[in-house]
Amino acid sequence: MINKLLMFLLGILGFASCSSESEEEYGCPTADFRVMGKVTDDANNLMDSVKVKLICSDGPWDSTMTNAAGFYQLANENGSYRTDFKTVFEKKGYKSDTLNAFISEQDFVGGDGDGYKGLATKIVNAQLKENDK
């Protein structure tokens, strides 16, 4: 009986902490992100079909492939606020490359000052070298 009463009270406390007032005070900020760029080989030729992975501190975030013009773009709308990413570029026959994609507070535009940081765009270009033969 005491266990049921305790669970009931904890449940009520949990729902009470989810009011809109506490979300503004304690909620996680959100933001829109766009990480994009071009990938070339060591002769500056644009590279098609390079796998581009974005990794944040808590693990892999998203991935895509470059198009025929060597361009890629990864976007996240209204996601959790993050500022530090690693961008990994991979293609068979080439050495993979990892570049940092740090987003500073000044990179965000259009925030509302109330939990939404705005949109940040980061350009990360890479140049891959062929594997040693």
Side-chain angles (χ1 to χ4, degrees), residues 38-45 47 89 94-97 99 125-129:
K38 288 190 177 184
V39 182
T40 58
D41 63 15
D42 50 0
N44 287 323
N45 298 310
M47 295 182 68
F89 302 89
Y94 291 83
K95 295 177 184 176
S96 64
D97 195 8
L99 300 171
N125 296 318
Q127 187 173 56
L128 299 183
K129 299 183 185 304

Side-chain angles (χ1 to χ4, degrees), residues 14-67:
F15 284 115
S17 69
C18 291
S19 70
S20 61
E21 184 178 310
S22 68
E23 280 182 35
E24 291 175 15
E25 187 175 341
Y26 299 109
C28 295
T30 61
D32 296 334
F33 296 97
R34 203 174 5 196
V35 178
M36 66 175 106
K38 288 190 177 184
V39 182
T40 58
D41 63 15
D42 50 0
N44 287 323
N45 298 310
L46 296 169
M47 295 182 68
D48 186 13
S49 302
V50 174
K51 185 172 187 173
V52 183
K53 296 188 290 188
L54 216 54
I55 301 172
C56 58
S57 60
D58 56 352
W61 182 61
D62 202 1
S63 66
T64 191
M65 302 290 278
T66 58
N67 64 15

Side-chain angles (χ1 to χ4, degrees), residues 109-124:
V109 294
D112 63 8
D114 192 31
Y116 173 67
K117 295 287 190 174
L119 169 67
T121 301
K122 191 68 174 186
I123 297 174
V124 180

Side-chain angles (χ1 to χ4, degrees), residues 49-106:
S49 302
V50 174
K51 185 172 187 173
V52 183
K53 296 188 290 188
L54 216 54
I55 301 172
C56 58
S57 60
D58 56 352
W61 182 61
D62 202 1
S63 66
T64 191
M65 302 290 278
T66 58
N67 64 15
F71 179 79
Y72 75 92
Q73 177 173 312
L74 293 160
N76 183 39
E77 293 183 8
N78 208 21
S80 25
Y81 172 70
R82 294 185 167 104
T83 59
D84 196 17
F85 299 94
K86 292 195 183 302
T87 312
V88 180
F89 302 89
E90 299 173 331
K91 182 167 178 142
K92 187 175 181 178
Y94 291 83
K95 295 177 184 176
S96 64
D97 195 8
T98 301
L99 300 171
N100 289 326
F102 180 75
I103 298 172
S104 71
E105 284 290 324
Q106 292 76 28

